[in-house]
Amino acid sequence: MMTKQWQVPDLQRQVEPNQRYKFMIMEERVVGIKFGRLSFKFLVFGFLLVLFLSCNGKPGTEFPQNHLSQNKIVTYDEMTTVLKRLSEKENIVLESAGKSIENRDLWLLNIKPDNLVENPLKVFLFAQQHGNEPAGKEAIIWLAKYLADNPDLMDHNIDLWLMPMVNPDGAEKKQRRNASGADLNRDHLLLSQPETQTLYQVWHKIQPHLTVDCHEFNRTSQSILDKGLEEWPLIMMDCGGNPLIDGPFYDFGVMTLNLMKGPLKKTGYNFCRYYLGGMPPHEENRFSTLEGDDARNGMALLNSLSFIIESGVMGNVENPAFDLGKRVDAYLIIFKELLNNRGFIFGAKKLFRSPYDCPVFLPTNYFWGKIDDSIDTVMFFKEGKDHAVPTGNFMKTRIIKSSVKMPDFYIIPASKCEVFEELFIRHKIEFVKLEQDSEFNVESVKLLRIETQYDDVYNRYEGRQITELMKTEKKFFQKGSILVDPHQNEYWKKVFYLLEPCNFYGLYGYDDFSRLIEQEILPVFRGFFEATG
């Protein structure tokens, strides 16, 4: 059956001269891993979403005629009213997936086309992990309303799941963190908060092929303003980058970033791959973190094609929502490409047809670096015009500093199991408990120190675990000890990231796990299948 194409309405957009599109082309190589290369022809449909939100909200609730004129943030209660009304449509199911700390519902919306194929691409869009970053949530609401009113426009290859507001308590308080003061997008390792626990319960319920985490960044940070500059991009995007991610997934992710250039250029919105860092040319810039404690990498380690989107907020104005409509518009253009571009859809589905083997060596210390003398350009605004700053300090290559041979399994002594068992249950990691005392060949890992200060020389975050791998020895483990075999585990990448004791970043900066260290030996042992017990 032919899917009806989304049409381009005739809207007059006001595109200022300083919104002319440019894209920073940054060649990216991988050092230490051999990655494959996918190639296929993307089918790009040029179009623009216009959504009309006309519903009976609570008294006093007013919505703009279209998203481009939106300059007011939708509250949690207003969003709830809209979602409940949308769920009256036949193709939409609304449920409360969980509760926030302050007992607000974490709403989950599922939209299916009438003619959904047997093996669809399952897509999970979620937003507002940070409560003061609303544009992604607004875009998801508009997207849901548009597809609710026009179900025949939804591609029959897409099973769409939406969680517009992961952190409603932070949103109501207009703060980044949740009600307990936790940064939810740094809680994807421990899953200590009810909101992140719910997010992963939803992931395991859906098992999505594609996940998109929606954020915002400040375009007017003081360090930039002090130079007489403003941030150049209106919207940025990046893919999962942890070196454990299979090569074809990472390559496809980078290609997807390039796919967004055309539609955003046509609309006049500045776009580039998400980057961060100091002021060029003398300070370092790099792409998104490679660590797995955020949603982008955390879900990529569960075998999703995973992305983050960041739209830019003018934080130095009285009403930062004055251009909310443009930010929502840029989001919707990206959503359209992910949900309606047949080249992307079939290319993404193809990724999941082939199994990927565990690597022989596990990367344990990795970072963004540079291996050549190339000069890159970082764009800014200066006096309302594009301003290019050349730099030799853009770190655009993933470099692996150290690796260890992959063990056959990990084993945790019975006396240390309780906190690990809770972690495995949250992450749905399969494990077995020894039914009798047994002896195994294991490697122990000695913790030399945890570096708690930011490294200004190499620009590495605090919490660095400096370890020493000890010689293999035979060791007895009591009945009840936990054994985790990553080779028999569906989420083996997550197993390695959570448990590998040689990891440069890991669990032992957290009190629940640091107290399990005895005589400087970490509680997780690297095991080999030569049991004698």
Side-chain angles (χ1 to χ4, degrees), residues 244 357-364 403-410 443 469 485-488 492-493 495-496 500 526-529:
L244 285 171
D357 296 329
C358 298
V360 177
F361 285 87
L362 300 174
T364 56
S403 299
V404 294
K405 187 176 180 180
M406 181 178 59
D408 292 327
F409 60 91
Y410 295 101
E443 293 174 339
L469 184 62
D485 181 357
H487 306 269
Q488 302 299 320
W492 59 267
K493 301 183 191 71
V495 171
F496 288 138
E500 176 51 54
R526 294 163 43 83
F528 302 90
F529 281 125

Side-chain angles (χ1 to χ4, degrees), residues 72-287:
K72 175 186 176 295
I73 296 171
V74 174
T75 67
Y76 172 80
D77 288 339
E78 291 169 345
M79 178 193 72
T80 298
T81 299
V82 173
L83 297 181
K84 287 182 176 180
R85 188 163 295 277
L86 293 180
S87 68
E88 297 173 3
K89 303 283 185 176
E90 292 184 0
N91 64 324
I92 294 181
V93 175
L94 176 68
E95 64 178 287
S96 174
K99 295 283 189 177
S100 69
I101 287 179
E102 294 183 345
N103 206 39
R104 292 184 174 90
D105 288 298
L106 304 179
W107 295 114
L108 177 67
L109 207 64
N110 181 216
I111 307 178
K112 287 181 169 67
D114 294 334
N115 55 345
L116 184 67
V117 298
E118 184 176 351
N119 295 303
L121 186 74
K122 290 179 284 187
V123 179
F124 181 29
L125 310 181
F126 55 96
Q128 222 166 355
Q129 282 198 85
H130 294 151
N132 58 350
E133 300 174 8
K137 174 255 295 178
E138 310 294 335
I140 287 176
I141 293 173
W142 284 103
L143 174 67
K145 177 60 171 64
Y146 185 76
L147 294 177
D149 290 345
N150 301 272
D152 59 328
L153 301 185
M154 190 169 176
D155 193 289
H156 63 275
N157 290 281
I158 298 294
D159 183 7
L160 182 60
W161 298 78
L162 307 172
M163 184 176 281
M165 190 182 285
V166 179
N167 182 10
D169 301 344
E172 291 300 284
K173 293 176 171 62
K174 298 180 174 60
Q175 66 183 29
R176 176 184 177 93
R177 297 171 180 264
N178 72 348
S180 68
D183 186 333
L184 297 184
N185 205 33
R186 302 296 182 270
D187 188 46
H188 292 256
L189 185 64
L190 296 186
L191 301 184
S192 65
Q193 301 300 308
E195 296 91 348
T196 45
Q197 291 172 18
T198 297
L199 194 61
Y200 277 81
Q201 289 165 7
V202 169
W203 191 99
H204 286 286
K205 171 183 177 176
I206 303 169
Q207 297 193 352
H209 302 97
L210 171 65
T211 63
V212 181
D213 182 21
C214 303
H215 288 264
E216 296 201 85
F217 69 96
N218 184 8
R219 297 180 68 188
T220 54
S221 63
Q222 193 59 47
S223 61
I224 294 177
L225 294 176
D226 289 344
K227 301 287 185 180
L229 304 173
E230 292 180 7
E231 290 274 13
W232 180 83
L234 175 68
I235 196 162
M236 301 191 284
M237 184 176 181
D238 205 357
C239 57
N242 185 279
L244 285 171
I245 298 168
D246 299 304
F249 277 73
Y250 180 73
D251 292 339
F252 189 89
V254 174
M255 292 166 60
T256 302
L257 305 180
N258 290 330
L259 172 65
M260 302 305 160
K261 296 190 297 185
L264 289 161
K265 176 182 179 180
K266 183 176 180 180
T267 316
Y269 295 146
N270 294 338
F271 168 79
C272 66
R273 184 173 178 177
Y274 178 44
Y275 74 97
L276 63 161
M279 281 298 302
H282 302 301
E283 297 180 358
E284 177 181 309
N285 297 104
R286 61 169 175 81
F287 297 129

Side-chain angles (χ1 to χ4, degrees), residues 34 59 62 81 163 166 208 305 322 331 335 436 460 464:
K34 183 179 180 181
E62 295 181 0
T81 299
M163 184 176 281
V166 179
L305 181 62
F322 81 99
Y331 257 108
F335 288 168
Q436 61 183 23
R460 307 297 299 275
R464 300 175 298 280

